[in-house]
Amino acid sequence: MEKSVDYQALIPRLTALVEGVPHLIANLANASALIYQELPDLNWAGFYLMKGETLVLGPFQGKPACIQIPLGRGVCGAAAQTGCPQLVPDVHAFPGHIACDSASNSEIVVPLYCGGQLWGVLDLDSPTLNRFGSWDLEGLTALCSALEGALGDLPNCLLTK
Ligand code: SME
């Protein structure tokens, strides 16, 4: 199913929320709230943050989720390991998918970078099979680029330990 979210219209709203705010967690919390509010048919939207070889739960909207995901495990771990976005039409067909909310049926994960280094991922889940398409992949990739730009050097605090 293709949902025509106007990602280009979301970009300035996200940028306005984040730019000039020198607090990474506050910015990611607001970003997850905006995305969860504006994208239809989601049951989870949030961030996992790299700590060594593990993704650790960051700011999100939705039900409580698993706290640690090793690199290479599940959809988030695959995105972090490969550095490539993961578009999963049916999570039950994805080897190693980690079911945090049994309502989730499809998922999209976009890796996030600062100065060429991966510091986390944006993870969106939907209760609808095949919820995310190429429109969302392109739109969310653009949204994440804008987020990376607005955050500037803030994610460095995750990379320098
Ligand atoms: N399903 C994810 C785990 C995180 S939750 O969806 C919030 C995965 O397989 O990586």
Side-chain angles (χ1 to χ4, degrees), residues 70-119:
L71 204 58
R73 287 277 314 280
V75 185
C76 292
Q81 188 167 57
T82 61
C84 297
Q86 305 289 307
L87 200 166
V88 182
D90 178 358
V91 295
H92 309 290
F94 188 94
H97 166 254
I98 301 162
C100 294
D101 181 347
S102 60
S104 297
N105 280 314
S106 62
E107 183 162 359
I108 190 166
V109 180
V110 181
L112 296 160
Y113 293 90
C114 178
Q117 273 195 282
L118 183 126
W119 57 266

mmCIF file of all heavy atoms in Angstrom, residues 70-119:
data_model
loop_
_atom_site.group_PDB
_atom_site.id
_atom_site.type_symbol
_atom_site.label_atom_id
_atom_site.label_comp_id
_atom_site.label_asym_id
_atom_site.label_seq_id
_atom_site.Cartn_x
_atom_site.Cartn_y
_atom_site.Cartn_z
ATOM 1 N N PRO A 70 21.912 -6.289 19.123
ATOM 2 C CA PRO A 70 23.286 -6.424 18.629
ATOM 3 C C PRO A 70 23.366 -6.107 17.132
ATOM 4 O O PRO A 70 22.415 -6.377 16.388
ATOM 5 C CB PRO A 70 23.610 -7.904 18.871
ATOM 6 C CG PRO A 70 22.573 -8.390 19.837
ATOM 7 C CD PRO A 70 21.355 -7.544 19.622
ATOM 8 N N LEU A 71 24.490 -5.546 16.716
ATOM 9 C CA LEU A 71 24.744 -5.256 15.306
ATOM 10 C C LEU A 71 24.494 -6.533 14.492
ATOM 11 O O LEU A 71 24.956 -7.610 14.880
ATOM 12 C CB LEU A 71 26.211 -4.835 15.167
ATOM 13 C CG LEU A 71 26.605 -3.964 13.985
ATOM 14 C CD1 LEU A 71 25.815 -2.672 13.958
ATOM 15 C CD2 LEU A 71 28.097 -3.670 14.051
ATOM 16 N N GLY A 72 23.729 -6.403 13.402
ATOM 17 C CA GLY A 72 23.461 -7.557 12.545
ATOM 18 C C GLY A 72 22.195 -8.313 12.911
ATOM 19 O O GLY A 72 21.766 -9.176 12.151
ATOM 20 N N ARG A 73 21.599 -8.014 14.075
ATOM 21 C CA ARG A 73 20.376 -8.713 14.487
ATOM 22 C C ARG A 73 19.137 -7.899 14.110
ATOM 23 O O ARG A 73 19.112 -6.688 14.302
ATOM 24 C CB ARG A 73 20.363 -8.941 16.006
ATOM 25 C CG ARG A 73 21.315 -10.007 16.494
ATOM 26 C CD ARG A 73 20.731 -11.412 16.380
ATOM 27 N NE ARG A 73 19.361 -11.508 16.880
ATOM 28 C CZ ARG A 73 19.040 -11.610 18.168
ATOM 29 N NH1 ARG A 73 19.974 -11.637 19.081
ATOM 30 N NH2 ARG A 73 17.777 -11.697 18.521
ATOM 31 N N GLY A 74 18.107 -8.578 13.615
ATOM 32 C CA GLY A 74 16.844 -7.921 13.311
ATOM 33 C C GLY A 74 16.977 -6.913 12.184
ATOM 34 O O GLY A 74 18.025 -6.807 11.528
ATOM 35 N N VAL A 75 15.909 -6.166 11.986
ATOM 36 C CA VAL A 75 15.889 -5.198 10.883
ATOM 37 C C VAL A 75 16.795 -4.010 11.215
ATOM 38 O O VAL A 75 17.571 -3.542 10.367
ATOM 39 C CB VAL A 75 14.438 -4.718 10.628
ATOM 40 C CG1 VAL A 75 14.398 -3.811 9.402
ATOM 41 C CG2 VAL A 75 13.490 -5.909 10.447
ATOM 42 N N CYS A 76 16.734 -3.553 12.465
ATOM 43 C CA CYS A 76 17.586 -2.422 12.866
ATOM 44 C C CYS A 76 19.059 -2.794 12.793
ATOM 45 O O CYS A 76 19.890 -2.014 12.296
ATOM 46 C CB CYS A 76 17.234 -1.984 14.291
ATOM 47 S SG CYS A 76 15.615 -1.239 14.431
ATOM 48 N N GLY A 77 19.381 -3.985 13.283
ATOM 49 C CA GLY A 77 20.775 -4.442 13.260
ATOM 50 C C GLY A 77 21.292 -4.611 11.844
ATOM 51 O O GLY A 77 22.471 -4.361 11.578
ATOM 52 N N ALA A 78 20.411 -5.030 10.933
ATOM 53 C CA ALA A 78 20.805 -5.178 9.525
ATOM 54 C C ALA A 78 21.088 -3.808 8.917
ATOM 55 O O ALA A 78 22.071 -3.634 8.175
ATOM 56 C CB ALA A 78 19.708 -5.898 8.742
ATOM 57 N N ALA A 79 20.246 -2.825 9.231
ATOM 58 C CA ALA A 79 20.467 -1.468 8.704
ATOM 59 C C ALA A 79 21.787 -0.903 9.222
ATOM 60 O O ALA A 79 22.546 -0.281 8.477
ATOM 61 C CB ALA A 79 19.310 -0.557 9.097
ATOM 62 N N ALA A 80 22.042 -1.124 10.526
ATOM 63 C CA ALA A 80 23.265 -0.584 11.124
ATOM 64 C C ALA A 80 24.501 -1.284 10.559
ATOM 65 O O ALA A 80 25.530 -0.651 10.310
ATOM 66 C CB ALA A 80 23.210 -0.725 12.643
ATOM 67 N N GLN A 81 24.394 -2.610 10.374
ATOM 68 C CA GLN A 81 25.568 -3.363 9.891
ATOM 69 C C GLN A 81 25.899 -3.048 8.432
ATOM 70 O O GLN A 81 27.053 -2.895 8.061
ATOM 71 C CB GLN A 81 25.336 -4.858 10.051
ATOM 72 C CG GLN A 81 26.576 -5.682 9.748
ATOM 73 C CD GLN A 81 26.407 -7.118 10.209
ATOM 74 O OE1 GLN A 81 25.476 -7.802 9.802
ATOM 75 N NE2 GLN A 81 27.292 -7.553 11.062
ATOM 76 N N THR A 82 24.842 -2.965 7.598
ATOM 77 C CA THR A 82 25.074 -2.746 6.164
ATOM 78 C C THR A 82 25.210 -1.264 5.834
ATOM 79 O O THR A 82 25.742 -0.918 4.779
ATOM 80 C CB THR A 82 23.901 -3.305 5.336
ATOM 81 O OG1 THR A 82 22.702 -2.613 5.728
ATOM 82 C CG2 THR A 82 23.716 -4.793 5.563
ATOM 83 N N GLY A 83 24.665 -0.401 6.704
ATOM 84 C CA GLY A 83 24.633 1.031 6.393
ATOM 85 C C GLY A 83 23.593 1.367 5.349
ATOM 86 O O GLY A 83 23.576 2.488 4.840
ATOM 87 N N CYS A 84 22.716 0.412 5.042
ATOM 88 C CA CYS A 84 21.688 0.628 4.015
ATOM 89 C C CYS A 84 20.305 0.603 4.649
ATOM 90 O O CYS A 84 20.036 -0.218 5.528
ATOM 91 C CB CYS A 84 21.719 -0.485 2.963
ATOM 92 S SG CYS A 84 23.243 -0.534 2.054
ATOM 93 N N PRO A 85 19.396 1.464 4.168
ATOM 94 C CA PRO A 85 18.018 1.412 4.656
ATOM 95 C C PRO A 85 17.413 0.038 4.395
ATOM 96 O O PRO A 85 17.770 -0.632 3.423
ATOM 97 C CB PRO A 85 17.295 2.477 3.813
ATOM 98 C CG PRO A 85 18.367 3.352 3.276
ATOM 99 C CD PRO A 85 19.584 2.498 3.134
ATOM 100 N N GLN A 86 16.516 -0.386 5.284
ATOM 101 C CA GLN A 86 15.837 -1.678 5.147
ATOM 102 C C GLN A 86 14.340 -1.410 5.007
ATOM 103 O O GLN A 86 13.739 -0.787 5.875
ATOM 104 C CB GLN A 86 16.074 -2.550 6.380
ATOM 105 C CG GLN A 86 17.527 -2.776 6.721
ATOM 106 C CD GLN A 86 18.220 -3.694 5.725
ATOM 107 O OE1 GLN A 86 17.750 -4.790 5.452
ATOM 108 N NE2 GLN A 86 19.335 -3.235 5.178
ATOM 109 N N LEU A 87 13.758 -1.891 3.914
ATOM 110 C CA LEU A 87 12.322 -1.750 3.687
ATOM 111 C C LEU A 87 11.752 -3.162 3.740
ATOM 112 O O LEU A 87 12.084 -4.000 2.902
ATOM 113 C CB LEU A 87 12.106 -1.102 2.313
ATOM 114 C CG LEU A 87 10.761 -0.438 2.040
ATOM 115 C CD1 LEU A 87 10.859 0.437 0.806
ATOM 116 C CD2 LEU A 87 9.659 -1.435 1.871
ATOM 117 N N VAL A 88 10.928 -3.433 4.754
ATOM 118 C CA VAL A 88 10.469 -4.804 5.006
ATOM 119 C C VAL A 88 8.941 -4.850 4.896
ATOM 120 O O VAL A 88 8.236 -4.396 5.811
ATOM 121 C CB VAL A 88 10.928 -5.281 6.408
ATOM 122 C CG1 VAL A 88 10.489 -6.711 6.655
ATOM 123 C CG2 VAL A 88 12.439 -5.159 6.539
ATOM 124 N N PRO A 89 8.421 -5.376 3.781
ATOM 125 C CA PRO A 89 6.962 -5.385 3.571
ATOM 126 C C PRO A 89 6.230 -6.297 4.553
ATOM 127 O O PRO A 89 5.087 -6.035 4.908
ATOM 128 C CB PRO A 89 6.785 -5.902 2.146
ATOM 129 C CG PRO A 89 8.141 -6.154 1.596
ATOM 130 C CD PRO A 89 9.178 -5.897 2.650
ATOM 131 N N ASP A 90 6.918 -7.389 4.975
ATOM 132 C CA ASP A 90 6.301 -8.352 5.905
ATOM 133 C C ASP A 90 7.371 -8.783 6.899
ATOM 134 O O ASP A 90 8.270 -9.567 6.560
ATOM 135 C CB ASP A 90 5.776 -9.562 5.124
ATOM 136 C CG ASP A 90 5.166 -10.617 6.045
ATOM 137 O OD1 ASP A 90 5.175 -10.426 7.282
ATOM 138 O OD2 ASP A 90 4.680 -11.641 5.521
ATOM 139 N N VAL A 91 7.273 -8.268 8.125
ATOM 140 C CA VAL A 91 8.332 -8.546 9.113
ATOM 141 C C VAL A 91 8.418 -10.040 9.450
ATOM 142 O O VAL A 91 9.481 -10.537 9.826
ATOM 143 C CB VAL A 91 8.143 -7.730 10.415
ATOM 144 C CG1 VAL A 91 8.300 -6.249 10.160
ATOM 145 C CG2 VAL A 91 6.815 -8.029 11.085
ATOM 146 N N HIS A 92 7.311 -10.759 9.288
ATOM 147 C CA HIS A 92 7.310 -12.188 9.635
ATOM 148 C C HIS A 92 8.147 -13.011 8.643
ATOM 149 O O HIS A 92 8.532 -14.133 8.945
ATOM 150 C CB HIS A 92 5.878 -12.703 9.696
ATOM 151 C CG HIS A 92 5.017 -11.818 10.562
ATOM 152 N ND1 HIS A 92 5.164 -11.765 11.933
ATOM 153 C CD2 HIS A 92 4.061 -10.909 10.241
ATOM 154 C CE1 HIS A 92 4.308 -10.861 12.419
ATOM 155 N NE2 HIS A 92 3.633 -10.334 11.422
ATOM 156 N N ALA A 93 8.432 -12.410 7.492
ATOM 157 C CA ALA A 93 9.255 -13.094 6.491
ATOM 158 C C ALA A 93 10.717 -12.650 6.572
ATOM 159 O O ALA A 93 11.545 -13.110 5.785
ATOM 160 C CB ALA A 93 8.699 -12.808 5.092
ATOM 161 N N PHE A 94 11.043 -11.746 7.510
ATOM 162 C CA PHE A 94 12.419 -11.238 7.625
ATOM 163 C C PHE A 94 13.182 -12.103 8.624
ATOM 164 O O PHE A 94 12.810 -12.164 9.808
ATOM 165 C CB PHE A 94 12.408 -9.780 8.091
ATOM 166 C CG PHE A 94 13.759 -9.113 8.045
ATOM 167 C CD1 PHE A 94 14.144 -8.375 6.934
ATOM 168 C CD2 PHE A 94 14.650 -9.223 9.112
ATOM 169 C CE1 PHE A 94 15.388 -7.761 6.890
ATOM 170 C CE2 PHE A 94 15.895 -8.614 9.070
ATOM 171 C CZ PHE A 94 16.265 -7.879 7.953
ATOM 172 N N PRO A 95 14.259 -12.775 8.184
ATOM 173 C CA PRO A 95 14.994 -13.644 9.102
ATOM 174 C C PRO A 95 15.557 -12.849 10.287
ATOM 175 O O PRO A 95 16.227 -11.849 10.083
ATOM 176 C CB PRO A 95 16.137 -14.197 8.232
ATOM 177 C CG PRO A 95 15.790 -13.869 6.835
ATOM 178 C CD PRO A 95 14.835 -12.712 6.849
ATOM 179 N N GLY A 96 15.215 -13.281 11.496
ATOM 180 C CA GLY A 96 15.772 -12.648 12.695
ATOM 181 C C GLY A 96 15.026 -11.417 13.146
ATOM 182 O O GLY A 96 15.484 -10.728 14.063
ATOM 183 N N HIS A 97 13.904 -11.126 12.520
ATOM 184 C CA HIS A 97 13.121 -9.960 12.948
ATOM 185 C C HIS A 97 12.845 -10.032 14.452
ATOM 186 O O HIS A 97 12.509 -11.092 14.984
ATOM 187 C CB HIS A 97 11.790 -9.898 12.191
ATOM 188 C CG HIS A 97 10.808 -8.948 12.789
ATOM 189 N ND1 HIS A 97 9.701 -9.365 13.503
ATOM 190 C CD2 HIS A 97 10.782 -7.599 12.807
ATOM 191 C CE1 HIS A 97 9.037 -8.305 13.928
ATOM 192 N NE2 HIS A 97 9.662 -7.224 13.514
ATOM 193 N N ILE A 98 12.990 -8.890 15.133
ATOM 194 C CA ILE A 98 12.758 -8.833 16.584
ATOM 195 C C ILE A 98 11.371 -8.227 16.806
ATOM 196 O O ILE A 98 11.139 -7.059 16.456
ATOM 197 C CB ILE A 98 13.842 -7.983 17.271
ATOM 198 C CG1 ILE A 98 15.227 -8.584 17.002
ATOM 199 C CG2 ILE A 98 13.568 -7.879 18.761
ATOM 200 C CD1 ILE A 98 16.373 -7.630 17.250
ATOM 201 N N ALA A 99 10.467 -9.012 17.353
ATOM 202 C CA ALA A 99 9.077 -8.560 17.538
ATOM 203 C C ALA A 99 8.943 -7.862 18.887
ATOM 204 O O ALA A 99 8.914 -8.511 19.930
ATOM 205 C CB ALA A 99 8.129 -9.736 17.448
ATOM 206 N N CYS A 100 8.914 -6.535 18.858
ATOM 207 C CA CYS A 100 8.729 -5.766 20.094
ATOM 208 C C CYS A 100 7.249 -5.590 20.363
ATOM 209 O O CYS A 100 6.803 -5.650 21.500
ATOM 210 C CB CYS A 100 9.381 -4.394 19.971
ATOM 211 S SG CYS A 100 11.166 -4.478 19.838
ATOM 212 N N ASP A 101 6.482 -5.335 19.315
ATOM 213 C CA ASP A 101 5.040 -5.125 19.418
ATOM 214 C C ASP A 101 4.408 -6.116 18.450
ATOM 215 O O ASP A 101 4.680 -6.061 17.241
ATOM 216 C CB ASP A 101 4.716 -3.676 19.031
ATOM 217 C CG ASP A 101 3.231 -3.364 19.137
ATOM 218 O OD1 ASP A 101 2.423 -4.309 19.271
ATOM 219 O OD2 ASP A 101 2.889 -2.170 19.073
ATOM 220 N N SER A 102 3.581 -7.016 18.968
ATOM 221 C CA SER A 102 3.008 -8.061 18.102
ATOM 222 C C SER A 102 2.098 -7.466 17.033
ATOM 223 O O SER A 102 1.749 -8.134 16.067
ATOM 224 C CB SER A 102 2.235 -9.080 18.941
ATOM 225 O OG SER A 102 1.191 -8.414 19.623
ATOM 226 N N ALA A 103 1.742 -6.183 17.164
ATOM 227 C CA ALA A 103 0.907 -5.532 16.143
ATOM 228 C C ALA A 103 1.702 -5.202 14.875
ATOM 229 O O ALA A 103 1.117 -4.974 13.818
ATOM 230 C CB ALA A 103 0.309 -4.249 16.702
ATOM 231 N N SER A 104 3.031 -5.186 14.955
ATOM 232 C CA SER A 104 3.842 -4.763 13.800
ATOM 233 C C SER A 104 3.803 -5.800 12.687
ATOM 234 O O SER A 104 4.022 -6.989 12.930
ATOM 235 C CB SER A 104 5.300 -4.557 14.212
ATOM 236 O OG SER A 104 5.401 -3.521 15.158
ATOM 237 N N ASN A 105 3.561 -5.346 11.464
ATOM 238 C CA ASN A 105 3.579 -6.239 10.304
ATOM 239 C C ASN A 105 4.544 -5.796 9.214
ATOM 240 O O ASN A 105 4.975 -6.620 8.411
ATOM 241 C CB ASN A 105 2.172 -6.377 9.718
ATOM 242 C CG ASN A 105 1.339 -7.374 10.511
ATOM 243 O OD1 ASN A 105 1.810 -8.462 10.830
ATOM 244 N ND2 ASN A 105 0.129 -6.988 10.871
ATOM 245 N N SER A 106 4.847 -4.497 9.160
ATOM 246 C CA SER A 106 5.853 -4.033 8.202
ATOM 247 C C SER A 106 6.717 -2.981 8.888
ATOM 248 O O SER A 106 6.351 -2.432 9.938
ATOM 249 C CB SER A 106 5.212 -3.484 6.927
ATOM 250 O OG SER A 106 4.398 -2.376 7.207
ATOM 251 N N GLU A 107 7.882 -2.718 8.285
ATOM 252 C CA GLU A 107 8.877 -1.894 8.993
ATOM 253 C C GLU A 107 9.809 -1.233 7.978
ATOM 254 O O GLU A 107 10.061 -1.783 6.898
ATOM 255 C CB GLU A 107 9.686 -2.830 9.921
ATOM 256 C CG GLU A 107 10.712 -2.141 10.779
ATOM 257 C CD GLU A 107 11.155 -3.028 11.961
ATOM 258 O OE1 GLU A 107 10.642 -4.161 12.103
ATOM 259 O OE2 GLU A 107 12.017 -2.589 12.722
ATOM 260 N N ILE A 108 10.309 -0.061 8.353
ATOM 261 C CA ILE A 108 11.348 0.593 7.553
ATOM 262 C C ILE A 108 12.382 1.175 8.511
ATOM 263 O O ILE A 108 12.012 1.737 9.550
ATOM 264 C CB ILE A 108 10.746 1.662 6.603
ATOM 265 C CG1 ILE A 108 11.781 2.173 5.605
ATOM 266 C CG2 ILE A 108 10.094 2.804 7.353
ATOM 267 C CD1 ILE A 108 11.161 2.958 4.438
ATOM 268 N N VAL A 109 13.648 1.000 8.189
ATOM 269 C CA VAL A 109 14.731 1.475 9.059
ATOM 270 C C VAL A 109 15.746 2.239 8.207
ATOM 271 O O VAL A 109 16.184 1.739 7.163
ATOM 272 C CB VAL A 109 15.429 0.308 9.794
ATOM 273 C CG1 VAL A 109 16.542 0.828 10.691
ATOM 274 C CG2 VAL A 109 14.426 -0.494 10.614
ATOM 275 N N VAL A 110 16.097 3.450 8.662
ATOM 276 C CA VAL A 110 17.060 4.289 7.927
ATOM 277 C C VAL A 110 18.260 4.567 8.832
ATOM 278 O O VAL A 110 18.089 5.064 9.955
ATOM 279 C CB VAL A 110 16.407 5.629 7.502
ATOM 280 C CG1 VAL A 110 17.398 6.487 6.725
ATOM 281 C CG2 VAL A 110 15.153 5.388 6.666
ATOM 282 N N PRO A 111 19.474 4.245 8.367
ATOM 283 C CA PRO A 111 20.675 4.538 9.159
ATOM 284 C C PRO A 111 20.955 6.036 9.223
ATOM 285 O O PRO A 111 20.616 6.771 8.295
ATOM 286 C CB PRO A 111 21.808 3.830 8.404
ATOM 287 C CG PRO A 111 21.174 3.083 7.298
ATOM 288 C CD PRO A 111 19.791 3.587 7.102
ATOM 289 N N LEU A 112 21.585 6.464 10.303
ATOM 290 C CA LEU A 112 21.869 7.888 10.529
ATOM 291 C C LEU A 112 23.371 8.085 10.716
ATOM 292 O O LEU A 112 24.022 7.311 11.430
ATOM 293 C CB LEU A 112 21.114 8.356 11.780
ATOM 294 C CG LEU A 112 19.586 8.293 11.654
ATOM 295 C CD1 LEU A 112 18.928 8.298 13.019
ATOM 296 C CD2 LEU A 112 19.082 9.450 10.803
ATOM 297 N N TYR A 113 23.891 9.157 10.110
ATOM 298 C CA TYR A 113 25.338 9.391 10.104
ATOM 299 C C TYR A 113 25.690 10.788 10.612
ATOM 300 O O TYR A 113 24.892 11.722 10.503
ATOM 301 C CB TYR A 113 25.874 9.277 8.673
ATOM 302 C CG TYR A 113 25.778 7.881 8.108
ATOM 303 C CD1 TYR A 113 24.637 7.481 7.425
ATOM 304 C CD2 TYR A 113 26.809 6.980 8.285
ATOM 305 C CE1 TYR A 113 24.532 6.194 6.918
ATOM 306 C CE2 TYR A 113 26.714 5.694 7.782
ATOM 307 C CZ TYR A 113 25.579 5.307 7.095
ATOM 308 O OH TYR A 113 25.484 4.043 6.606
ATOM 309 N N CYS A 114 26.907 10.889 11.120
ATOM 310 C CA CYS A 114 27.483 12.191 11.467
ATOM 311 C C CYS A 114 28.954 12.132 11.060
ATOM 312 O O CYS A 114 29.675 11.243 11.532
ATOM 313 C CB CYS A 114 27.346 12.455 12.970
ATOM 314 S SG CYS A 114 28.082 13.994 13.523
ATOM 315 N N GLY A 115 29.372 13.020 10.184
ATOM 316 C CA GLY A 115 30.759 13.008 9.713
ATOM 317 C C GLY A 115 31.154 11.662 9.134
ATOM 318 O O GLY A 115 32.276 11.201 9.326
ATOM 319 N N GLY A 116 30.227 11.000 8.432
ATOM 320 C CA GLY A 116 30.506 9.721 7.785
ATOM 321 C C GLY A 116 30.431 8.517 8.707
ATOM 322 O O GLY A 116 30.609 7.384 8.270
ATOM 323 N N GLN A 117 30.159 8.732 9.991
ATOM 324 C CA GLN A 117 30.080 7.602 10.946
ATOM 325 C C GLN A 117 28.643 7.342 11.363
ATOM 326 O O GLN A 117 27.901 8.285 11.681
ATOM 327 C CB GLN A 117 30.892 7.914 12.190
ATOM 328 C CG GLN A 117 32.353 7.515 12.053
ATOM 329 C CD GLN A 117 33.002 7.504 13.422
ATOM 330 O OE1 GLN A 117 33.341 8.561 13.942
ATOM 331 N NE2 GLN A 117 33.170 6.326 13.989
ATOM 332 N N LEU A 118 28.276 6.065 11.376
ATOM 333 C CA LEU A 118 26.925 5.704 11.774
ATOM 334 C C LEU A 118 26.755 5.848 13.282
ATOM 335 O O LEU A 118 27.556 5.336 14.046
ATOM 336 C CB LEU A 118 26.655 4.256 11.355
ATOM 337 C CG LEU A 118 25.239 3.771 11.647
ATOM 338 C CD1 LEU A 118 24.601 3.222 10.394
ATOM 339 C CD2 LEU A 118 25.236 2.731 12.743
ATOM 340 N N TRP A 119 25.707 6.571 13.696
ATOM 341 C CA TRP A 119 25.477 6.752 15.144
ATOM 342 C C TRP A 119 24.126 6.217 15.600
ATOM 343 O O TRP A 119 23.855 6.166 16.811
ATOM 344 C CB TRP A 119 25.620 8.213 15.553
ATOM 345 C CG TRP A 119 24.722 9.172 14.829
ATOM 346 C CD1 TRP A 119 25.026 9.890 13.705
ATOM 347 C CD2 TRP A 119 23.365 9.528 15.165
ATOM 348 N NE1 TRP A 119 23.953 10.664 13.326
ATOM 349 C CE2 TRP A 119 22.916 10.461 14.201
ATOM 350 C CE3 TRP A 119 22.477 9.158 16.180
ATOM 351 C CZ2 TRP A 119 21.631 11.015 14.219
ATOM 352 C CZ3 TRP A 119 21.203 9.704 16.197
ATOM 353 C CH2 TRP A 119 20.788 10.628 15.228
#
